[in-house]
Amino acid sequence: MDTITNPRDPRLLAVAGLESAAARARDGRYLVEGPRLVRQALAAGVLRAAWLLDDLDDDALAGELAAAGIDCLAAPARLGPRLIGTSYRTR
């Protein structure tokens, strides 16, 4: 799993761009937030990639994603708002 720390990383910017409905429709991709929704998307077979915030997400979820062969990137929680435009609480 790669860890992204640069807020200008193109992979981070690509995800951040999905906050608009037009971008989601154009790219055919969407965002789900939180372990429960990620697990539901994984079970439904629609999850293509995942971002885990290193000080918020659990190792069990990372293991489930790895076992399913899902491309997974990690980022520090401070970059969370760049991913979905909201703030995260840390543990």
Side-chain angles (χ1 to χ4, degrees), residues 14-15 28 35 38 41 45 50-51 56 58-59 66-67 77 88:
V15 172
V38 169
W51 282 84
L56 296 175
D58 59 58
D59 291 337
Y88 286 94

Side-chain angles (χ1 to χ4, degrees), residues 1-5 50-54 72-76 79:
M1 176 178 353
D2 287 340
T3 298
I4 306 303
T5 57
W51 282 84
L52 298 176
L53 300 178
D54 62 5
C72 195
L73 297 167
L79 294 182

Side-chain angles (χ1 to χ4, degrees), residues 2 28 31 35 54-55 57 62 69 77 83 85 88:
D2 287 340
L31 299 173
D54 62 5
D55 52 349
D57 290 311
L83 288 171
Y88 286 94

Side-chain angles (χ1 to χ4, degrees), residues 1-87:
M1 176 178 353
D2 287 340
T3 298
I4 306 303
T5 57
N6 182 347
R8 292 190 177 104
D9 186 291
R11 296 169 290 184
L12 180 67
L13 295 175
V15 172
L18 293 176
E19 73 179 79
S20 77
R24 291 189 300 273
R26 180 189 66 240
D27 293 348
R29 298 185 312 157
Y30 56 93
L31 299 173
V32 294
E33 178 186 356
R36 183 177 57 83
L37 292 177
V38 169
R39 285 185 172 103
Q40 288 176 349
L42 181 61
V46 297
L47 191 65
R48 294 187 201 168
W51 282 84
L52 298 176
L53 300 178
D54 62 5
D55 52 349
L56 296 175
D57 290 311
D58 59 58
D59 291 337
L61 179 56
E64 292 169 42
L65 295 168
I70 300 297
D71 182 29
C72 195
L73 297 167
R78 67 179 172 78
L79 294 182
R82 295 286 302 223
L83 288 171
I84 61 166
T86 62
S87 297

